[in-house]
Amino acid sequence: MASASEPAYFAKARQAGRPVVRDLPKFDLDAYIANYKGKTRFERLLHIGTTSTLLAPEALRYAVAEAKQGRDIRRYDAAVSAIREIMPGDRNATADVAWKEKVQKQIKAESDRLETELKGYKNNLIKESIRMGYDDLGQHYHRTGELVESVKAFGRMRDFCTTSSHVVVMNLRLISVSIDQGNWLAVQTNVQKLRSPGQQFAEAQRLAAKLSAAMGLALLASGNYREAAQEFIDTDPRMTQARLDDPTDEEAFNEVMTPNDVAVYGGLCALASMDRTDLQKKILENNKFRSYLEFEPHIRRAITFFVSSKFSLCLSILDSYRSDYLLDIHLQPHLGELYFQIRSKAIQQYFVPFSCATFTALGAAFDTDEQTIEQELTDMVKRGSLDAHLDLVDRVLVARTLDARRNVHEHALQMVKEYERTAHLLILQTEMVHGALEVADKGKALGSSIALDHIGGGEQLYGNSSAAPFSGEGSGRSLRSGLRG
Protein backbone atom coordinates (compact mmCIF):
# COMPACT_ATOMS: atom_id res chain seq x y z
CA MET A 1 0.00 0.00 0.00
CA ALA A 2 1.37 3.42 -0.91
CA SER A 3 2.32 5.81 1.85
CA ALA A 4 0.63 9.17 2.24
CA SER A 5 3.67 11.04 0.86
CA GLU A 6 4.17 8.71 -2.10
CA PRO A 7 3.07 10.17 -5.45
CA ALA A 8 0.11 8.47 -7.11
CA TYR A 9 2.35 7.66 -10.09
CA PHE A 10 4.22 5.02 -8.09
CA ALA A 11 1.02 3.49 -6.75
CA LYS A 12 -0.21 3.05 -10.33
CA ALA A 13 3.17 1.67 -11.38
CA ARG A 14 3.04 -0.90 -8.59
CA GLN A 15 -0.48 -1.93 -9.61
CA ALA A 16 0.72 -2.33 -13.19
CA GLY A 17 3.45 -4.72 -12.01
CA ARG A 18 6.38 -2.35 -12.54
CA PRO A 19 9.13 -2.34 -9.89
CA VAL A 20 9.07 0.54 -7.43
CA VAL A 21 12.01 1.11 -5.08
CA ARG A 22 11.12 2.67 -1.73
CA ASP A 23 14.51 2.14 -0.04
CA LEU A 24 17.48 4.44 -0.35
CA PRO A 25 20.20 2.87 -2.52
CA LYS A 26 23.79 2.55 -1.37
CA PHE A 27 25.19 4.81 -4.09
CA ASP A 28 25.26 8.61 -4.18
CA LEU A 29 23.34 9.84 -7.21
CA ASP A 30 25.79 12.62 -8.11
CA ALA A 31 28.84 10.34 -7.92
CA TYR A 32 27.02 7.54 -9.72
CA ILE A 33 25.77 9.52 -12.69
CA ALA A 34 29.06 11.40 -13.10
CA ASN A 35 30.62 8.19 -14.42
CA TYR A 36 28.40 8.16 -17.52
CA LYS A 37 28.06 10.29 -20.60
CA GLY A 38 25.86 10.49 -23.67
CA LYS A 39 22.44 8.96 -24.05
CA THR A 40 22.88 6.40 -21.27
CA ARG A 41 23.39 9.21 -18.76
CA PHE A 42 19.94 10.61 -19.51
CA GLU A 43 18.29 7.18 -19.74
CA ARG A 44 19.66 6.14 -16.36
CA LEU A 45 18.50 9.38 -14.72
CA LEU A 46 15.02 8.97 -16.18
CA HIS A 47 14.90 5.32 -15.11
CA ILE A 48 15.91 6.20 -11.53
CA GLY A 49 13.42 9.06 -11.46
CA THR A 50 10.52 6.83 -12.51
CA THR A 51 11.50 3.93 -10.22
CA SER A 52 12.78 5.34 -6.92
CA THR A 53 10.32 7.19 -4.70
CA LEU A 54 13.14 8.88 -2.77
CA LEU A 55 15.43 9.87 -5.64
CA ALA A 56 12.69 10.82 -8.11
CA PRO A 57 12.75 14.63 -7.59
CA GLU A 58 16.52 14.96 -7.85
CA ALA A 59 16.94 12.45 -10.68
CA LEU A 60 14.18 13.95 -12.84
CA ARG A 61 15.51 17.50 -12.45
CA TYR A 62 18.92 16.24 -13.49
CA ALA A 63 17.28 14.46 -16.43
CA VAL A 64 15.65 17.69 -17.65
CA ALA A 65 18.94 19.56 -17.34
CA GLU A 66 20.77 16.76 -19.18
CA ALA A 67 18.19 16.77 -21.99
CA LYS A 68 18.50 20.54 -22.44
CA GLN A 69 22.25 20.19 -22.92
CA GLY A 70 21.64 18.10 -26.02
CA ARG A 71 19.41 18.31 -29.05
CA ASP A 72 17.08 15.36 -28.56
CA ILE A 73 13.66 16.93 -28.03
CA ARG A 74 12.06 13.53 -27.41
CA ARG A 75 14.23 13.07 -24.34
CA TYR A 76 13.24 16.45 -23.02
CA ASP A 77 9.54 15.74 -23.56
CA ALA A 78 9.87 12.37 -21.78
CA ALA A 79 11.54 13.99 -18.75
CA VAL A 80 8.98 16.80 -18.56
CA SER A 81 6.12 14.32 -18.85
CA ALA A 82 7.55 12.23 -15.97
CA ILE A 83 7.91 15.34 -13.77
CA ARG A 84 4.36 16.40 -14.61
CA GLU A 85 3.04 13.03 -13.40
CA ILE A 86 5.23 12.69 -10.32
CA MET A 87 5.71 16.34 -9.26
CA PRO A 88 2.96 18.40 -10.96
CA GLY A 89 3.84 21.48 -8.95
CA ASP A 90 7.50 21.58 -9.99
CA ARG A 91 8.69 24.43 -12.20
CA ASN A 92 10.06 21.90 -14.71
CA ALA A 93 6.61 20.36 -15.16
CA THR A 94 5.90 22.95 -17.85
CA ALA A 95 7.77 22.50 -21.12
CA ASP A 96 10.12 25.26 -22.29
CA VAL A 97 8.48 25.98 -25.63
CA ALA A 98 10.99 28.65 -26.61
CA TRP A 99 13.90 26.24 -26.11
CA LYS A 100 12.16 23.54 -28.15
CA GLU A 101 11.50 25.88 -31.06
CA LYS A 102 15.07 27.12 -30.98
CA VAL A 103 16.49 23.59 -31.02
CA GLN A 104 14.15 22.49 -33.80
CA LYS A 105 15.41 25.33 -35.99
CA GLN A 106 19.02 24.43 -35.20
CA ILE A 107 18.40 20.76 -36.02
CA LYS A 108 16.78 21.61 -39.35
CA ALA A 109 19.56 24.00 -40.29
CA GLU A 110 22.25 21.44 -39.39
CA SER A 111 20.44 18.66 -41.27
CA ASP A 112 20.12 20.80 -44.40
CA ARG A 113 23.79 21.79 -44.23
CA LEU A 114 25.03 18.21 -43.85
CA GLU A 115 22.80 16.88 -46.63
CA THR A 116 23.92 19.68 -48.97
CA GLU A 117 27.57 18.91 -48.23
CA LEU A 118 26.96 15.22 -48.85
CA LYS A 119 25.39 15.95 -52.23
CA GLY A 120 28.46 17.97 -53.14
CA TYR A 121 30.75 15.14 -52.12
CA LYS A 122 28.74 12.70 -54.27
CA ASN A 123 29.03 15.01 -57.27
CA ASN A 124 32.81 15.14 -56.81
CA LEU A 125 32.96 11.32 -56.57
CA ILE A 126 35.54 11.39 -53.76
CA LYS A 127 34.96 8.22 -51.72
CA GLU A 128 36.64 9.45 -48.53
CA SER A 129 34.61 12.68 -48.53
CA ILE A 130 31.38 10.74 -49.11
CA ARG A 131 32.23 8.38 -46.25
CA MET A 132 32.91 11.27 -43.89
CA GLY A 133 29.71 12.96 -45.05
CA TYR A 134 27.65 9.91 -44.13
CA ASP A 135 29.53 9.63 -40.84
CA ASP A 136 28.75 13.26 -39.91
CA LEU A 137 25.12 12.83 -40.92
CA GLY A 138 24.76 9.60 -38.90
CA GLN A 139 26.26 11.18 -35.79
CA HIS A 140 23.95 14.17 -36.20
CA TYR A 141 20.88 11.92 -36.38
CA HIS A 142 22.15 9.96 -33.38
CA ARG A 143 22.50 13.12 -31.28
CA THR A 144 19.02 14.32 -32.23
CA GLY A 145 17.33 10.98 -31.48
CA GLU A 146 16.65 9.96 -35.10
CA LEU A 147 18.06 6.49 -34.53
CA VAL A 148 16.55 4.85 -37.62
CA GLU A 149 17.99 7.54 -39.89
CA SER A 150 21.29 7.25 -38.06
CA VAL A 151 21.47 3.50 -38.78
CA LYS A 152 20.74 4.15 -42.45
CA ALA A 153 23.47 6.79 -42.72
CA PHE A 154 26.09 4.63 -41.00
CA GLY A 155 25.08 1.62 -43.11
CA ARG A 156 25.63 3.59 -46.31
CA MET A 157 29.22 4.21 -45.26
CA ARG A 158 30.04 0.58 -46.07
CA ASP A 159 30.47 1.10 -49.83
CA PHE A 160 32.91 3.97 -49.25
CA CYS A 161 35.19 2.36 -46.62
CA THR A 162 38.66 2.00 -48.12
CA THR A 163 40.67 0.85 -45.06
CA SER A 164 40.15 -1.54 -42.19
CA SER A 165 39.99 1.35 -39.73
CA HIS A 166 37.02 2.75 -41.65
CA VAL A 167 35.19 -0.57 -41.30
CA VAL A 168 35.90 -0.67 -37.57
CA VAL A 169 34.61 2.88 -37.07
CA MET A 170 31.45 2.10 -39.05
CA ASN A 171 30.68 -1.02 -37.01
CA LEU A 172 31.35 0.76 -33.72
CA ARG A 173 28.91 3.49 -34.73
CA LEU A 174 26.29 0.85 -35.58
CA ILE A 175 26.88 -0.94 -32.27
CA SER A 176 26.37 2.29 -30.33
CA VAL A 177 23.14 3.18 -32.13
CA SER A 178 21.83 -0.40 -31.88
CA ILE A 179 22.38 -0.37 -28.10
CA ASP A 180 20.38 2.85 -27.84
CA GLN A 181 17.66 1.28 -29.98
CA GLY A 182 17.64 -1.90 -27.92
CA ASN A 183 18.30 -3.88 -31.11
CA TRP A 184 20.41 -6.57 -29.48
CA LEU A 185 20.54 -8.84 -32.50
CA ALA A 186 22.15 -6.02 -34.50
CA VAL A 187 24.66 -5.50 -31.69
CA GLN A 188 25.69 -9.16 -31.81
CA THR A 189 25.88 -9.12 -35.62
CA ASN A 190 28.18 -6.10 -35.76
CA VAL A 191 30.42 -7.42 -33.00
CA GLN A 192 30.77 -10.73 -34.84
CA LYS A 193 31.72 -8.89 -38.02
CA LEU A 194 34.66 -7.30 -36.24
CA ARG A 195 35.61 -10.64 -34.71
CA SER A 196 35.39 -12.52 -37.99
CA PRO A 197 38.35 -14.91 -38.30
CA GLY A 198 38.48 -14.28 -42.03
CA GLN A 199 39.28 -10.59 -41.49
CA GLN A 200 41.77 -9.46 -38.90
CA PHE A 201 41.30 -5.84 -37.84
CA ALA A 202 44.17 -4.42 -35.81
CA GLU A 203 41.90 -1.68 -34.48
CA ALA A 204 39.36 -4.29 -33.36
CA GLN A 205 42.03 -5.98 -31.23
CA ARG A 206 42.63 -2.67 -29.52
CA LEU A 207 38.90 -2.29 -28.90
CA ALA A 208 38.43 -5.87 -27.67
CA ALA A 209 37.23 -4.71 -24.24
CA LYS A 210 34.41 -2.65 -25.75
CA LEU A 211 33.38 -5.48 -28.06
CA SER A 212 33.23 -7.99 -25.19
CA ALA A 213 31.25 -5.59 -23.02
CA ALA A 214 28.79 -4.84 -25.83
CA MET A 215 28.34 -8.53 -26.66
CA GLY A 216 27.88 -9.38 -22.98
CA LEU A 217 25.21 -6.70 -22.64
CA ALA A 218 23.39 -8.00 -25.74
CA LEU A 219 23.45 -11.58 -24.41
CA LEU A 220 22.26 -10.40 -20.99
CA ALA A 221 19.35 -8.56 -22.61
CA SER A 222 18.55 -11.74 -24.57
CA GLY A 223 18.44 -13.83 -21.36
CA ASN A 224 21.50 -15.92 -22.28
CA TYR A 225 23.16 -15.53 -18.90
CA ARG A 226 25.95 -18.11 -19.19
CA GLU A 227 27.31 -16.76 -22.46
CA ALA A 228 26.86 -13.20 -21.16
CA ALA A 229 28.89 -14.10 -18.09
CA GLN A 230 31.65 -15.54 -20.27
CA GLU A 231 31.81 -12.36 -22.35
CA PHE A 232 32.06 -10.13 -19.28
CA ILE A 233 34.65 -12.43 -17.74
CA ASP A 234 36.74 -12.24 -20.92
CA THR A 235 36.57 -8.44 -21.09
CA ASP A 236 40.07 -7.01 -21.39
CA PRO A 237 41.08 -5.22 -18.14
CA ARG A 238 42.33 -2.18 -20.08
CA MET A 239 38.88 -0.64 -19.55
CA THR A 240 39.61 -0.47 -15.81
CA GLN A 241 42.42 2.00 -16.53
CA ALA A 242 40.21 4.42 -18.44
CA ARG A 243 39.69 7.94 -17.16
CA LEU A 244 35.93 8.34 -17.16
CA ASP A 245 36.13 12.11 -16.74
CA ASP A 246 38.26 12.46 -19.89
CA PRO A 247 36.07 12.48 -23.04
CA THR A 248 39.13 11.86 -25.24
CA ASP A 249 40.11 8.61 -23.49
CA GLU A 250 39.48 5.88 -26.08
CA GLU A 251 39.58 3.12 -23.47
CA ALA A 252 36.43 4.43 -21.76
CA PHE A 253 33.08 2.90 -22.69
CA ASN A 254 30.97 4.97 -20.31
CA GLU A 255 28.58 5.99 -23.05
CA VAL A 256 27.25 2.45 -22.42
CA MET A 257 28.71 1.05 -19.18
CA THR A 258 31.53 1.43 -16.66
CA PRO A 259 33.94 -1.12 -15.17
CA ASN A 260 31.61 -1.30 -12.16
CA ASP A 261 28.82 -2.47 -14.44
CA VAL A 262 31.05 -5.13 -16.02
CA ALA A 263 31.81 -6.52 -12.55
CA VAL A 264 28.16 -6.54 -11.46
CA TYR A 265 26.70 -7.89 -14.70
CA GLY A 266 29.40 -10.54 -15.04
CA GLY A 267 29.23 -11.58 -11.38
CA LEU A 268 25.44 -11.93 -11.24
CA CYS A 269 25.25 -13.80 -14.57
CA ALA A 270 28.00 -16.16 -13.42
CA LEU A 271 26.30 -16.85 -10.09
CA ALA A 272 23.05 -17.61 -11.91
CA SER A 273 24.52 -19.92 -14.55
CA MET A 274 27.78 -21.51 -13.34
CA ASP A 275 28.49 -24.20 -10.78
CA ARG A 276 30.89 -23.74 -7.91
CA THR A 277 33.83 -25.27 -9.78
CA ASP A 278 33.45 -22.84 -12.67
CA LEU A 279 32.98 -19.91 -10.29
CA GLN A 280 36.25 -20.79 -8.57
CA LYS A 281 38.23 -21.21 -11.80
CA LYS A 282 36.66 -18.60 -14.06
CA ILE A 283 35.94 -15.85 -11.52
CA LEU A 284 38.00 -16.06 -8.35
CA GLU A 285 41.15 -17.36 -10.06
CA ASN A 286 40.79 -15.15 -13.13
CA ASN A 287 43.37 -12.36 -13.03
CA LYS A 288 41.68 -10.39 -15.81
CA PHE A 289 38.26 -10.27 -14.20
CA ARG A 290 39.76 -9.65 -10.78
CA SER A 291 40.60 -6.12 -11.96
CA TYR A 292 36.88 -5.47 -12.42
CA LEU A 293 35.88 -7.11 -9.13
CA GLU A 294 38.07 -4.60 -7.31
CA PHE A 295 35.49 -1.96 -8.25
CA GLU A 296 32.67 -4.00 -6.67
CA PRO A 297 34.23 -6.02 -3.80
CA HIS A 298 30.83 -7.16 -2.50
CA ILE A 299 30.34 -9.18 -5.70
CA ARG A 300 33.62 -10.97 -5.04
CA ARG A 301 32.55 -11.66 -1.43
CA ALA A 302 29.20 -13.03 -2.58
CA ILE A 303 30.87 -15.39 -5.07
CA THR A 304 33.41 -16.49 -2.44
CA PHE A 305 30.62 -17.31 0.02
CA PHE A 306 28.73 -19.25 -2.64
CA VAL A 307 31.79 -21.31 -3.55
CA SER A 308 32.35 -21.99 0.16
CA SER A 309 28.72 -23.18 0.53
CA LYS A 310 27.87 -20.24 2.79
CA PHE A 311 24.71 -19.61 0.85
CA SER A 312 22.85 -17.47 3.38
CA LEU A 313 25.74 -14.98 3.55
CA CYS A 314 25.90 -14.82 -0.24
CA LEU A 315 22.16 -14.22 -0.57
CA SER A 316 22.13 -11.62 2.19
CA ILE A 317 24.77 -9.59 0.32
CA LEU A 318 22.75 -9.74 -2.89
CA ASP A 319 19.53 -8.81 -1.09
CA SER A 320 21.21 -5.77 0.47
CA TYR A 321 22.04 -4.48 -3.03
CA ARG A 322 18.68 -5.36 -4.58
CA SER A 323 17.50 -1.72 -4.55
CA ASP A 324 20.65 -0.59 -6.36
CA TYR A 325 20.24 -3.22 -9.06
CA LEU A 326 16.57 -2.39 -9.57
CA LEU A 327 17.70 1.14 -10.42
CA ASP A 328 20.04 -0.16 -13.13
CA ILE A 329 18.45 0.23 -16.54
CA HIS A 330 19.89 -3.00 -17.93
CA LEU A 331 19.62 -5.21 -14.84
CA GLN A 332 16.08 -4.43 -13.75
CA PRO A 333 14.23 -6.53 -16.38
CA HIS A 334 16.33 -9.60 -15.50
CA LEU A 335 16.94 -9.16 -11.78
CA GLY A 336 14.03 -11.34 -10.68
CA GLU A 337 15.10 -14.24 -12.89
CA LEU A 338 18.77 -13.87 -11.95
CA TYR A 339 17.99 -13.86 -8.23
CA PHE A 340 15.63 -16.83 -8.64
CA GLN A 341 18.29 -18.88 -10.42
CA ILE A 342 20.92 -17.98 -7.83
CA ARG A 343 18.64 -18.95 -4.92
CA SER A 344 17.57 -22.12 -6.75
CA LYS A 345 21.20 -23.20 -7.16
CA ALA A 346 21.85 -22.46 -3.49
CA ILE A 347 18.85 -24.51 -2.35
CA GLN A 348 19.84 -27.39 -4.64
CA GLN A 349 23.37 -27.45 -3.27
CA TYR A 350 22.14 -27.20 0.32
CA PHE A 351 19.67 -30.07 -0.12
CA VAL A 352 22.11 -32.52 -1.78
CA PRO A 353 23.22 -34.34 1.44
CA PHE A 354 19.66 -34.74 2.77
CA SER A 355 16.86 -37.16 1.93
CA CYS A 356 14.31 -34.78 3.42
CA ALA A 357 14.21 -31.39 5.10
CA THR A 358 11.46 -29.45 6.85
CA PHE A 359 10.28 -26.10 5.53
CA THR A 360 11.21 -24.63 8.90
CA ALA A 361 14.83 -25.75 8.58
CA LEU A 362 15.09 -24.52 4.99
CA GLY A 363 13.55 -21.18 5.91
CA ALA A 364 16.03 -20.76 8.76
CA ALA A 365 18.95 -21.74 6.53
CA PHE A 366 18.00 -19.14 3.92
CA ASP A 367 16.79 -16.47 6.33
CA THR A 368 13.15 -16.44 5.24
CA ASP A 369 9.75 -17.62 6.48
CA GLU A 370 8.02 -20.92 5.74
CA GLN A 371 5.48 -19.47 3.31
CA THR A 372 8.18 -17.85 1.19
CA ILE A 373 10.39 -20.92 1.07
CA GLU A 374 7.36 -23.08 0.23
CA GLN A 375 6.53 -20.85 -2.74
CA GLU A 376 10.15 -20.93 -3.91
CA LEU A 377 10.30 -24.72 -3.64
CA THR A 378 7.02 -25.03 -5.54
CA ASP A 379 8.36 -22.87 -8.37
CA MET A 380 11.58 -24.87 -8.50
CA VAL A 381 9.75 -28.21 -8.68
CA LYS A 382 7.43 -26.91 -11.41
CA ARG A 383 10.42 -25.71 -13.46
CA GLY A 384 12.18 -29.03 -13.00
CA SER A 385 15.19 -27.46 -11.31
CA LEU A 386 14.68 -29.46 -8.08
CA ASP A 387 14.29 -33.26 -8.21
CA ALA A 388 12.07 -33.62 -5.14
CA HIS A 389 8.44 -33.46 -4.07
CA LEU A 390 6.66 -31.45 -1.41
CA ASP A 391 4.82 -33.06 1.48
CA LEU A 392 2.39 -30.28 2.36
CA VAL A 393 0.85 -32.30 5.24
CA ASP A 394 4.06 -32.74 7.20
CA ARG A 395 5.57 -29.65 5.52
CA VAL A 396 8.67 -31.50 4.38
CA LEU A 397 10.73 -31.47 1.20
CA VAL A 398 11.45 -35.08 0.24
CA ALA A 399 14.12 -36.10 -2.27
CA ARG A 400 13.12 -38.55 -4.97
CA THR A 401 14.73 -41.93 -4.26
CA LEU A 402 16.22 -43.93 -7.09
CA ASP A 403 16.01 -47.74 -7.14
CA ALA A 404 19.68 -48.44 -7.79
CA ARG A 405 19.17 -52.24 -7.89
CA ARG A 406 16.51 -51.94 -10.58
CA ASN A 407 18.63 -49.53 -12.59
CA VAL A 408 21.56 -51.97 -12.52
CA HIS A 409 19.37 -54.86 -13.67
CA GLU A 410 17.88 -52.84 -16.51
CA HIS A 411 21.32 -51.73 -17.60
CA ALA A 412 22.59 -55.33 -17.54
CA LEU A 413 19.64 -56.58 -19.62
CA GLN A 414 20.22 -53.84 -22.16
CA MET A 415 23.89 -54.82 -22.41
CA VAL A 416 22.87 -58.49 -23.00
CA LYS A 417 20.55 -57.48 -25.83
CA GLU A 418 23.27 -55.39 -27.45
CA TYR A 419 25.72 -58.29 -27.09
CA GLU A 420 23.29 -60.77 -28.70
CA ARG A 421 22.66 -58.39 -31.59
CA THR A 422 26.38 -57.85 -32.14
CA ALA A 423 27.09 -61.61 -32.01
CA HIS A 424 24.31 -62.30 -34.53
CA LEU A 425 25.74 -59.77 -36.95
CA LEU A 426 29.23 -61.24 -36.57
CA ILE A 427 27.96 -64.79 -37.28
CA LEU A 428 26.11 -63.50 -40.34
CA GLN A 429 29.24 -61.81 -41.62
CA THR A 430 31.31 -64.94 -41.01
CA GLU A 431 28.86 -67.17 -42.93
CA MET A 432 28.84 -64.72 -45.84
CA VAL A 433 32.64 -64.83 -45.98
CA HIS A 434 32.65 -68.65 -45.82
CA GLY A 435 30.03 -68.79 -48.58
CA ALA A 436 32.23 -66.57 -50.77
CA LEU A 437 29.36 -64.15 -51.23
CA GLU A 438 30.13 -60.71 -52.56
CA VAL A 439 27.97 -57.62 -53.00
CA ALA A 440 28.67 -55.70 -56.17
CA ASP A 441 28.23 -51.97 -55.42
CA LYS A 442 27.66 -49.93 -58.54
CA GLY A 443 27.22 -46.55 -56.92
CA LYS A 444 25.12 -45.20 -54.09
CA ALA A 445 21.97 -45.35 -56.22
CA LEU A 446 22.29 -49.16 -56.44
CA GLY A 447 23.68 -49.63 -52.95
CA SER A 448 20.41 -51.08 -51.69
CA SER A 449 20.04 -53.58 -54.59
CA ILE A 450 20.39 -57.20 -53.56
CA ALA A 451 20.78 -60.25 -55.75
CA LEU A 452 21.14 -63.77 -54.51
CA ASP A 453 22.48 -66.63 -56.58
CA HIS A 454 21.05 -69.74 -54.99
CA ILE A 455 23.25 -72.36 -56.67
CA GLY A 456 21.47 -75.34 -55.16
CA GLY A 457 18.11 -74.36 -56.69
CA GLY A 458 19.51 -72.62 -59.75
CA GLU A 459 17.37 -69.47 -59.06
CA GLN A 460 18.31 -65.83 -59.13
CA LEU A 461 16.35 -63.43 -56.99
CA TYR A 462 17.04 -59.79 -57.69
CA GLY A 463 16.08 -56.86 -55.53
CA ASN A 464 16.80 -54.66 -58.54
CA SER A 465 17.16 -56.01 -62.08
CA SER A 466 20.04 -53.63 -62.80
CA ALA A 467 22.13 -54.89 -59.90
CA ALA A 468 24.79 -57.53 -60.35
CA PRO A 469 23.99 -60.82 -58.61
CA PHE A 470 25.84 -62.41 -55.78
CA SER A 471 28.42 -64.94 -56.86
CA GLY A 472 29.00 -68.08 -54.87
CA GLU A 473 31.54 -70.83 -54.98
CA GLY A 474 30.65 -74.46 -54.25
CA SER A 475 27.23 -75.95 -54.38
CA GLY A 476 24.35 -76.03 -51.97
CA ARG A 477 25.83 -73.43 -49.60
CA SER A 478 23.28 -71.31 -47.90
CA LEU A 479 22.92 -68.83 -45.09
CA ARG A 480 20.77 -71.01 -42.87
CA SER A 481 23.45 -71.41 -40.27
CA GLY A 482 24.08 -67.65 -40.19
CA LEU A 483 20.40 -66.79 -39.94
CA ARG A 484 19.65 -69.41 -37.31
CA GLY A 485 18.33 -67.74 -34.14
Side-chain angles (χ1 to χ4, degrees):
M1 183 176 179
S3 62
S5 59
E6 184 179 276
Y9 172 87
F10 293 108
K12 294 179 181 178
R14 192 178 291 107
Q15 292 175 358
R18 297 198 301 272
V20 175
V21 177
R22 301 176 65 179
D23 300 326
L24 193 66
K26 296 182 181 297
F27 61 78
D28 177 74
L29 181 60
D30 291 326
Y32 170 79
I33 208 63
N35 293 326
Y36 299 95
K37 67 179 181 180
K39 191 173 186 294
T40 192
R41 180 184 175 97
F42 170 83
E43 294 294 343
R44 289 175 182 270
L45 284 169
L46 184 63
H47 175 74
I48 293 171
T50 55
T51 306
S52 173
T53 59
L54 298 177
L55 296 180
E58 186 179 10
L60 290 176
R61 292 190 185 105
Y62 285 167
V64 170
E66 179 68 21
K68 295 187 76 171
Q69 291 181 6
R71 291 186 175 184
D72 192 341
I73 296 178
R74 292 183 183 85
R75 292 189 205 172
Y76 177 74
D77 288 339
V80 170
S81 177
I83 288 182
R84 189 180 298 119
E85 290 190 64
I86 298 173
M87 303 178 294
D90 192 88
R91 62 184 180 86
N92 291 309
T94 303
D96 188 344
V97 179
W99 177 83
K100 290 175 64 176
E101 291 178 350
K102 175 185 175 183
V103 171
Q104 285 175 343
K105 291 179 181 178
Q106 292 176 347
I107 291 174
K108 187 177 185 306
E110 183 70 6
S111 298
D112 293 341
R113 182 184 69 82
L114 291 173
E115 289 177 358
T116 302
E117 289 182 354
L118 180 58
K119 288 180 181 178
Y121 298 149
K122 289 181 178 179
N123 292 333
N124 294 331
L125 300 177
I126 303 175
K127 295 186 68 173
E128 176 61 14
S129 298
I130 297 174
R131 185 193 67 83
M132 294 180 64
Y134 276 125
D135 190 22
D136 293 339
L137 192 62
Q139 292 188 66
H140 167 69
Y141 284 138
H142 192 186
R143 287 191 296 267
T144 57
E146 298 286 347
L147 300 183
V148 175
E149 295 299 324
S150 179
V151 170
K152 290 180 181 178
F154 288 138
R156 288 168 182 158
M157 291 170 57
R158 190 182 310 277
D159 295 334
F160 305 97
C161 293
T162 56
T163 65
S164 62
S165 61
H166 294 165
V167 176
V168 171
V169 169
M170 178 196 67
N171 281 280
L172 283 177
R173 299 270 198 261
L174 289 171
I175 289 171
S176 179
V177 179
S178 299
I179 290 174
D180 290 342
Q181 282 183 311
N183 187 350
W184 304 112
L185 181 59
V187 173
Q188 296 180 53
T189 300
N190 284 287
V191 171
Q192 292 295 355
K193 287 179 180 178
L194 293 179
R195 289 178 171 179
S196 174
Q199 293 180 326
Q200 297 295 330
F201 300 105
E203 294 81 359
Q205 298 298 324
R206 182 171 52 85
L207 300 170
K210 293 184 178 181
L211 297 180
S212 294
M215 179 63 86
L217 186 61
L219 292 169
L220 168 62
S222 303
N224 195 339
Y225 302 134
R226 185 173 182 84
E227 292 187 17
Q230 194 61 56
E231 288 289 346
F232 288 124
I233 292 170
D234 293 338
T235 302
D236 195 289
R238 64 194 307 165
M239 190 188 296
T240 61
Q241 303 171 3
R243 298 184 299 275
L244 301 181
D245 56 346
D246 184 1
T248 63
D249 192 337
E250 295 184 355
E251 302 296 342
F253 197 40
N254 55 340
E255 65 272 19
V256 176
M257 67 178 72
T258 63
N260 303 67
D261 297 327
V262 174
V264 172
Y265 299 166
L268 291 180
C269 288
L271 276 171
S273 60
M274 295 183 179
D275 57 29
R276 289 187 293 171
T277 302
D278 285 343
L279 289 173
Q280 178 67 36
K281 292 181 179 179
K282 296 183 178 182
I283 301 292
L284 300 181
E285 297 178 3
N286 187 333
N287 292 328
K288 292 199 303 183
F289 196 64
R290 187 179 301 170
S291 303
Y292 290 98
L293 290 177
E294 291 176 356
F295 288 87
E296 299 289 339
H298 67 279
I299 292 290
R300 181 180 178 84
R301 290 200 305 273
I303 295 174
T304 302
F305 285 139
F306 194 96
V307 171
S308 304
S309 299
K310 299 177 181 179
F311 303 118
S312 60
L313 293 176
C314 169
L315 296 176
S316 65
I317 291 176
L318 298 181
D319 287 339
S320 67
Y321 281 85
R322 188 183 187 92
S323 297
D324 295 51
Y325 299 154
L326 285 172
L327 297 180
D328 186 282
I329 191 171
H330 298 298
L331 268 184
Q332 188 196 79
H334 304 275
L335 193 64
E337 181 64 22
L338 286 170
Y339 271 40
F340 175 81
Q341 292 191 18
I342 294 171
R343 286 185 67 86
S344 297
K345 285 177 55 183
I347 293 173
Q348 290 172 20
Q349 293 293 321
Y350 177 83
F351 188 60
V352 165
F354 302 102
S355 60
C356 63
T358 63
F359 293 171
T360 304
L362 289 170
F366 290 94
D367 194 22
T368 187
D369 55 80
E370 284 191 37
Q371 288 74 22
T372 303
I373 198 68
E374 179 184 344
Q375 183 60 47
E376 289 182 347
L377 293 173
T378 302
D379 292 341
M380 291 174 63
V381 171
K382 287 181 177 178
R383 292 191 181 197
S385 58
L386 182 61
D387 189 17
H389 64 270
L390 304 180
D391 184 348
L392 298 180
V393 176
D394 297 329
R395 304 192 66 74
V396 174
L397 178 68
V398 182
R400 297 188 186 277
T401 57
L402 299 176
D403 190 345
R405 182 185 181 89
R406 179 178 178 180
N407 289 342
V408 170
H409 286 176
E410 290 179 351
H411 182 63
L413 290 174
Q414 184 63 30
M415 289 180 64
V416 169
K417 290 180 180 178
E418 290 294 329
Y419 177 80
E420 287 181 348
R421 180 177 178 275
T422 303
H424 175 76
L425 294 176
L426 289 173
I427 293 172
L428 179 60
Q429 182 184 16
T430 302
E431 290 296 329
M432 291 178 69
V433 172
H434 287 170
L437 298 176
E438 297 179 357
V439 178
D441 184 4
K442 293 188 177 181
K444 294 182 179 179
L446 303 179
S448 61
S449 301
I450 300 175
L452 293 176
D453 183 5
H454 189 69
I455 299 176
E459 295 180 7
Q460 288 186 341
L461 301 177
Y462 297 95
N464 187 310
S465 60
S466 61
F470 283 86
S471 62
E473 294 181 2
S475 61
R477 306 191 65 174
S478 67
L479 300 179
R480 283 199 301 272
S481 61
L483 298 176
R484 187 180 303 116

